[in-house]
Amino acid sequence: MRIVRYPHPTLRHKSKALRRVDGELRNIVARMFDLMYETNGIGLAANQVDLPYRLFVINVTGDSGQRDQEHVFINPVVSKYGPSQEAEEGCLSFPELYAPVVRPERCTVTAYNLAGQEIQRELTGLFARAVQHENDHLEGVLFIDRLSPSALMSLKEPLGELERELEGERMRGLLPDDRQIAARLAELEMMRAE
Ligand code: ZN
């Protein structure tokens, strides 16, 4: 398992709901948390590890020692509300890139946890922001899509560099073509998603 970087096509995949929670899914989640801590993140969505599942993990402390702060959201439904707030965001699929994103301050999220139980949370602050950011991933939406034109313009160069890096991987045969990627996602969805 590895984190895919912008503009990898899986980051634009709109994930379908998962049918059930099982041992394999629990393994996937454990590996996602490990990868998230290794890369100093506070959240990670399944698309970012090249999986077409409606699932993300969050630990707003980013501290692997604080396992009680780990949250898994499966098939989440998010409703946002409250006044808009601007804050700097980054994303593990855009290493070293940060930019201000405006989002509603609060949200309610209903999702399944790893025990297969439905949970509902009222969130605010960083946790609410992280849930909205990760939930966007499941829709194929990236934080750069939510930047002001001037903020986006200021990232033009590093984004271009990421685009060239991926193109380079593709040229060296390290990345399948778009059709192969789509076929693999469709196959995985057939096995686990609705
Ligand atoms: Zn992200």
Side-chain angles (χ1 to χ4, degrees):
M1 185 183 277
R2 67 170 190 130
I3 295 177
V4 297
R5 293 179 172 189
Y6 169 85
H8 192 287
T10 305
L11 293 173
R12 291 300 185 185
H13 184 79
K14 197 174 159 175
S15 306
K16 295 202 178 77
L18 284 157
R19 277 199 297 267
R20 63 174 179 280
V21 178
D22 57 21
E24 200 195 331
L25 200 71
R26 279 188 278 272
N27 282 335
I28 289 171
V29 164
R31 286 158 67 203
M32 285 174 67
F33 272 118
D34 288 344
L35 210 47
M36 186 189 85
Y37 294 129
E38 276 167 30
T39 48
N40 301 313
I42 63 166
L44 187 62
N47 325 39
Q48 292 182 277
V49 293
D50 205 10
L51 293 172
Y53 303 148
R54 218 161 175 82
L55 150 80
F56 58 80
V57 302
I58 286 179
N59 179 342
V60 286
T61 72
D63 177 1
S64 60
Q66 297 191 43
R67 298 273 165 180
D68 60 328
Q69 298 299 309
E70 289 184 347
H71 297 279
V72 180
F73 297 87
I74 299 166
N75 299 346
V77 176
V78 175
S79 35
K80 315 169 215 182
Y81 60 101
S84 294
Q85 250 188 356
E86 189 181 77
E88 200 100 296
E89 284 187 26
C91 178
L92 293 177
S93 296
F94 297 77
E96 326 262 303
L97 280 191
Y98 300 90
V101 183
V102 176
R103 297 188 190 271
E105 189 181 28
R106 297 166 179 274
C107 68
T108 303
V109 56
T110 306
Y112 291 90
N113 64 15
L114 270 188
Q117 298 156 330
E118 199 177 29
I119 42 158
Q120 189 176 45
R121 290 178 166 275
E122 302 282 331
L123 301 173
T124 182
L126 181 60
F127 202 167
R129 179 170 287 272
V131 160
Q132 292 177 51
H133 175 115
E134 299 310 330
N135 196 58
D136 273 354
H137 274 299
L138 306 185
E139 294 294 320
V141 173
L142 300 170
F143 83 116
I144 54 166
D145 303 338
R146 297 197 180 278
L147 300 181
S148 69
S150 63
L152 185 61
M153 191 54 88
S154 72
L155 294 185
K156 202 173 171 223
E157 223 170 282
L159 289 176
E161 199 165 309
L162 284 171
E163 286 160 14
R164 285 191 296 279
E165 262 176 41
L166 198 81
E167 195 46 43
E169 275 187 38
R170 190 159 260 169
M171 306 272 267
R172 295 199 302 279
L174 300 172
L175 190 74
D177 67 33
D178 284 358
R179 235 181 40 202
Q180 288 168 304
I181 290 172
R184 181 183 155 273
L185 295 179
E187 196 178 316
L188 286 170
E189 273 180 343
M190 216 160 58
M191 289 188 287
R192 307 194 65 88
E194 277 173 356

